[in-house]
Amino acid sequence: MDIDNLDEILKNFRRELPKISKTAQAIDRDASLAEISECAEEEGLHLLASILFEAEQAEFEETMPATTFEDMGSEALRKFRRSIPDSSKTAQAIDRGAKWEEISQCAEEEGIRQHQIAAIMFEAGQERLLSKKPR
């Protein structure tokens, strides 16, 4: 998703929100997409949350194409995995080393918050990128 387009979408949504809205406040302080998405979901702004989820996925795909959960080695990922039951399709996909797209699909089918998966994947991607930077 084009970042200029995303900025315009956020501006349009922001104009319609009252100042007391958590989503409006997150947009105003230029919070992360994950935080804005979480606020939007909490406030029932499902369209905005979905748009931001798609943007997070697109951003993640640019930095971490076709990688598995296990390859990322993030503590956030391990913590997330421990938080879901072994019988979950999402857990089973993680355990067998499925691609993140499949894991995300399972999570969505099971009602796991989309922004939660996106935020964890994005965080893992950032950790991986930082670990590859020369020091």
Side-chain angles (χ1 to χ4, degrees):
M1 175 175 280
D2 181 6
I3 191 70
D4 292 333
N5 192 24
L6 183 59
D7 286 343
E8 190 62 34
I9 290 169
L10 286 173
K11 285 177 191 175
N12 288 334
F13 270 96
R14 175 57 188 99
R15 279 197 265 316
E16 301 297 320
L17 298 171
K19 289 183 180 181
I20 61 168
S21 163
K22 286 182 181 180
T23 305
Q25 293 170 9
I27 292 169
D28 290 347
R29 71 172 176 279
D30 202 24
S32 69
L33 293 180
E35 182 180 347
I36 297 169
S37 178
E38 184 174 337
C39 292
E41 189 170 307
E42 286 176 17
E43 294 181 329
L45 303 169
H46 302 297
L47 177 60
L48 179 58
S50 293
I51 290 168
L52 294 174
F53 175 72
E54 293 292 329
E56 287 176 296
Q57 281 190 317
E59 190 172 317
F60 180 77
E61 285 174 0
E62 289 175 13
T63 58
M64 305 298 291
T67 192
T68 64
F69 241 47
E70 193 60 37
D71 290 342
M72 291 183 203
S74 166
E75 181 56 34
L77 296 173
R78 286 187 287 278
K79 184 177 179 182
F80 170 73
R81 170 56 189 93
R82 289 190 304 267
S83 75
I84 56 178
D86 292 342
S87 59
S88 157
K89 282 184 175 181
T90 306
Q92 292 169 7
I94 292 169
D95 293 347
R96 74 171 178 279
K99 301 271 187 247
W100 76 268
E101 294 94 339
E102 180 184 345
I103 294 165
S104 181
Q105 178 73 29
C106 291
E108 185 175 345
E109 289 172 9
E110 293 181 325
I112 296 172
R113 290 182 168 182
Q114 292 179 350
H115 74 272
Q116 183 181 14
I117 289 282
I120 291 168
M121 299 299 286
F122 182 75
E123 179 183 328
Q126 293 300 322
E127 287 177 16
R128 188 166 170 187
L129 288 174
L130 289 174
S131 71
K132 290 184 176 185
K133 281 188 177 180
R135 296 179 186 209

